[in-house]
């Protein structure tokens, strides 16, 4: 372990970035999922203008780089908050906000596809039993759609987790930013970034494991 | 019981139903037959408004289904529907398939809903399948569960949309037997079917559909012995 000796005392410092990274991921995926569900419902709604609005939204967030969106919200928003007499948004809020808005755009397409992929007959059956739209969507359509899109959602969560590394540009002390700090402190670069990569990998493998266990449980009706 | 006045349905340029007018008495069993594409299924789906009629009136008892102020969800409960492809809820057990709607829609307490479901499952010969998921059932079993699921809502009318068309031949019998038993209880039934034997034996009336209209409406004995129209004759020659 001589290889890591130059930064050994700072490894715990990098590891301490895990909570920040996870916090970003969990909050962003959660809000992104809620927001994405809402967008998906707009997209499949019978009211065309709402669907169009959601489509435009999606195209903007998918059509611009995430790091540009982060920079816009964090560095450009103080002008706006100033004008409104509000406090400027802090880095964490800005990060979560952008990730949620961005992830919502991607997830909405996944959810829309998942809902449309559920056999139309399920709707017919639910309607013929007099089940109202809301209950039908929640109890009949959503569980089947969710099962179909679970792999895609896991993928999105992994993407978000990896993308959180980009908030290091706005100074949040997550895993990558901490590796940065150590690298510049000790003038060794390979080891801290290797540690960071390893931490990301372990987090993602853990997530994959949890998700596949959950997926197996969902598939018990097959 | 059911009254249909000048019912029309178009899908874009396709004029599927071209003026259906008929009356169906309580307790009668009507077999709707005819060549494919003649509008039989569309007619059935219009009755509980799974398809919105383009024109015309539908009355179920004293409720006008086609009136804009009618609470469609409420009246749909009076009409059970059985589909060609069953459409059981795959993520629910057989028992849950039967209890979900009564509990959610009618607010029936769980114990009561379960008791009713078990009784219905026994009636269709599937008492031992309560805890099974639909994917583990054969086609015939699925369809019997679907019939029980509809009955759990205690409908006044049962609509059957080609209930045996997707089944392997050896499973047709078990489903028809359940339907026959149901007919004997006095349930009002409208059955779109290609099973001429069933139509002849169980139905009180045959409605022969052709090109979106009721071309013939007669008692089975009469219809099968001596169809009036040329189209019906041709159809029967192919079927029998």
């Amino acid at each position: 372990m001589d290889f890591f000796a130059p930064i050994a005392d700072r490894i715990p410092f990098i590891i301490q970035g895990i909570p920040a990274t996870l916090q970003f991921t969990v909050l962003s995926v959660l809000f992104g999922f809620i927001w994405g569900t809402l967008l998906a419902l707009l997209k499949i709604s019978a009211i065309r203008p709402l669907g169009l609005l959601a489509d435009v939204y999606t195209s903007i967030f998918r059509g611009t780089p995430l790091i540009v969106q982060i920079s816009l919200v964090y560095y450009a928003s103080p002008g706006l908050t100033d004008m409104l007499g509000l406090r400027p948004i802090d880095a964490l809020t800005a990060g979560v906000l952008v990730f949620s808005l961005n992830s919502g755009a991607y997830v909405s397409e996944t959810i829309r596809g998942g809902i449309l992929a559920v056999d139309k007959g399920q709707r017919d059956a639910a309607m013929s039993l007099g089940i109202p739209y809301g209950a039908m969507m929640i109890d009949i359509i959503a569980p089947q759609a969710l099962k179909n899109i679970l792999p895609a959602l896991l993928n999105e969560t992994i993407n978000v987790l990896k993308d959180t590394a980009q908030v290091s540009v706005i100074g949040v002390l997550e895993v990558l930013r901490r590796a940065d700090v150590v690298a510049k402190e000790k003038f060794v670069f390979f080891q801290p970034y290797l540690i960071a990569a390893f931490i990301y990998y372990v987090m993602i493998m853990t997530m994959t494991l949890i998700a596949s266990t959950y997926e197996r449980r969902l598939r018990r009706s097959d | 019981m059911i009254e249909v006045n000048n019912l029309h349905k178009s899908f874009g340029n396709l004029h599927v139903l071209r003026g259906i007018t008929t009356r169906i008495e309580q307790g009668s069993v009507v077999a709707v037959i005819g060549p494919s594409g003649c509008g039989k299924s569309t007619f059935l789906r219009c009755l509980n408004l799974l398809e919105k009629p383009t024109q015309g009136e539908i009355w179920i008892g004293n409720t006008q289904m086609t009136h804009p102020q009618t609470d469609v969800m409420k009246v749909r409960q009076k009409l059970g529907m059985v589909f060609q492809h069953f459409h059981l809820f795959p993520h629910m057990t057989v028992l849950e398939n039967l209890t979900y709607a009564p509990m959610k829609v009618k607010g029936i307490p769980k114990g009561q809903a379960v008791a009713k479901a078990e009784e219905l499952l026994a009636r269709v010969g599937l008492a031992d399948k309560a805890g099974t998921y639909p994917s583990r059932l054969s086609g015939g079993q699925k369809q019997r569960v679907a019939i029980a699921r509809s009955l759990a809502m205690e409908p006044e009318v049962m609509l059957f949309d080609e209930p045996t068309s997707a089944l392997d031949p050896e499973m047709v019998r078990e489903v028809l037997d359940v339907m026959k038993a149901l007919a004997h209880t006095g349930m009002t039934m409208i059955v779109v079917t290609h099973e001429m034997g069933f139509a002849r034996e169980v139905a009180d009336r045959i409605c022969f559909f052709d090109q979106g209209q009721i071309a013939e409406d007669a008692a089975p004995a009469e219809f099968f012995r001596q169809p009036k129209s040329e189209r019906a004759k041709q159809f029967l020659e192919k079927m029998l």
Side-chain angles (χ1 to χ4, degrees), chain A residues 119-133 135-136 139-141 143-144 147 220-222, chain B residues 45 48 50 73 76-77 79-81 83 87-92 100-101 104-105 133 135-136 149-150 153:
Chain A
D119 180 10
K120 227 183 135 288
Q122 294 289 310
R123 258 159 266 230
D124 283 349
M127 285 202 283
S128 78
L129 289 166
I131 299 167
Y133 185 80
M136 172 182 85
D139 295 332
I140 310 290
I141 307 295
Q144 298 181 54
K147 196 167 96 174
R220 72 188 164 183
S221 62
D222 286 351
Chain B
R45 291 170 64 84
N48 66 354
L50 285 185
M73 286 298 164
R76 267 194 194 132
Q77 296 169 31
L79 298 146
M81 186 155 185
F83 302 88
H87 302 326
L88 294 177
F89 304 135
H91 58 299
M92 297 183 186
Y100 175 78
K104 192 81 183 184
V105 180
Y133 282 97
S135 57
R136 304 238 178 264
R149 177 177 68 175
S150 287
M153 288 298 279

Side-chain angles (χ1 to χ4, degrees), chain A residues 102-158:
Chain A
N102 184 283
S103 172
Y106 283 93
V107 167
S108 72
E109 279 302 295
T110 308
I111 294 173
R112 188 183 69 94
I115 291 174
L116 293 183
V118 174
D119 180 10
K120 227 183 135 288
Q122 294 289 310
R123 258 159 266 230
D124 283 349
M127 285 202 283
S128 78
L129 289 166
I131 299 167
Y133 185 80
M136 172 182 85
M137 287 310 270
I138 293 169
D139 295 332
I140 310 290
I141 307 295
Q144 298 181 54
L146 202 63
K147 196 167 96 174
N148 292 337
I149 64 174
L150 206 68
L153 286 182
L154 172 67
N155 225 357
E156 174 61 15
T157 307
I158 288 174

Side-chain angles (χ1 to χ4, degrees), chain B:
Chain B
M1 169 94 225
I2 299 179
E3 221 177 307
V4 180
N5 279 327
N6 193 30
L7 179 66
H8 285 261
K9 173 68 187 176
S10 301
F11 296 101
N13 289 329
L14 194 64
H15 202 164
V16 180
L17 297 181
R18 301 163 179 260
I20 306 274
T21 299
T22 190
R23 248 184 92 80
I24 293 161
E25 300 302 332
Q26 183 152 9
S28 63
V29 176
V30 178
V32 177
I33 64 175
S36 0
C38 67
K40 315 179 290 276
S41 289
T42 306
F43 169 65
L44 213 60
R45 291 170 64 84
C46 278
L47 287 181
N48 66 354
L49 298 191
L50 285 185
E51 303 292 350
K52 201 168 177 288
T54 314
Q55 188 195 324
E57 277 180 15
I58 298 167
W59 290 80
I60 308 286
N62 299 324
T63 316
Q64 190 191 338
M65 294 291 278
T66 39
H67 194 279
Q69 253 128 51
T70 300
D71 181 356
V72 177
M73 286 298 164
K74 196 94 193 139
V75 279
R76 267 194 194 132
Q77 296 169 31
K78 295 187 192 178
L79 298 146
M81 186 155 185
V82 173
F83 302 88
Q84 183 178 354
H85 295 287
F86 332 124
H87 302 326
L88 294 177
F89 304 135
H91 58 299
M92 297 183 186
T93 63
V94 166
L95 190 77
E96 288 163 350
N97 263 280
L98 266 68
T99 55
Y100 175 78
M103 283 163 60
K104 192 81 183 184
V105 180
K106 286 184 156 180
I108 290 171
K110 185 165 185 197
Q112 206 178 319
V114 169
K116 172 92 189 166
E118 281 169 345
E119 177 205 316
L120 282 167
L121 284 177
R123 223 168 104 188
V124 298
L126 294 169
D128 55 328
K129 299 288 184 198
T132 311
Y133 282 97
S135 57
R136 304 238 178 264
L137 300 178
S138 72
Q141 291 171 330
K142 281 182 194 165
Q143 197 58 298
R144 286 186 280 153
V145 171
I147 294 171
R149 177 177 68 175
S150 287
L151 291 175
M153 288 298 279
E154 303 187 316
E156 294 168 24
V157 181
M158 284 288 281
L159 310 173
F160 292 87
D161 190 3
E162 303 198 24
T164 57
S165 298
L167 297 178
D168 292 336
E170 75 267 25
M171 293 171 181
V172 170
R173 183 90 255 151
E174 63 189 61
V175 171
L176 291 182
D177 283 345
V178 166
M179 291 168 62
K180 226 181 282 178
L182 187 62
H184 289 312
T185 65
M187 173 67 77
T188 311
M189 291 164 61
I190 306 176
V191 187
V192 171
T193 186
H194 292 295
E195 293 291 329
M196 293 304 133
F198 176 82
R200 191 203 298 256
E201 192 186 334
V202 183
D204 307 314
R205 254 169 82 189
I206 307 286
C207 284
F208 176 73
F209 270 54
D210 187 35
Q211 295 175 351
Q213 289 178 316
I214 300 182
E216 267 188 75
D217 186 346
E222 195 183 330
F223 178 81
F224 285 107
R225 191 167 2 97
Q226 194 119 68
K228 287 190 216 75
S229 63
E230 199 51 42
R231 290 285 299 188
K233 261 179 221 155
Q234 286 170 2
F235 176 75
L236 282 180
E237 269 165 27
K238 272 185 221 149
M239 293 302 290
L240 298 176

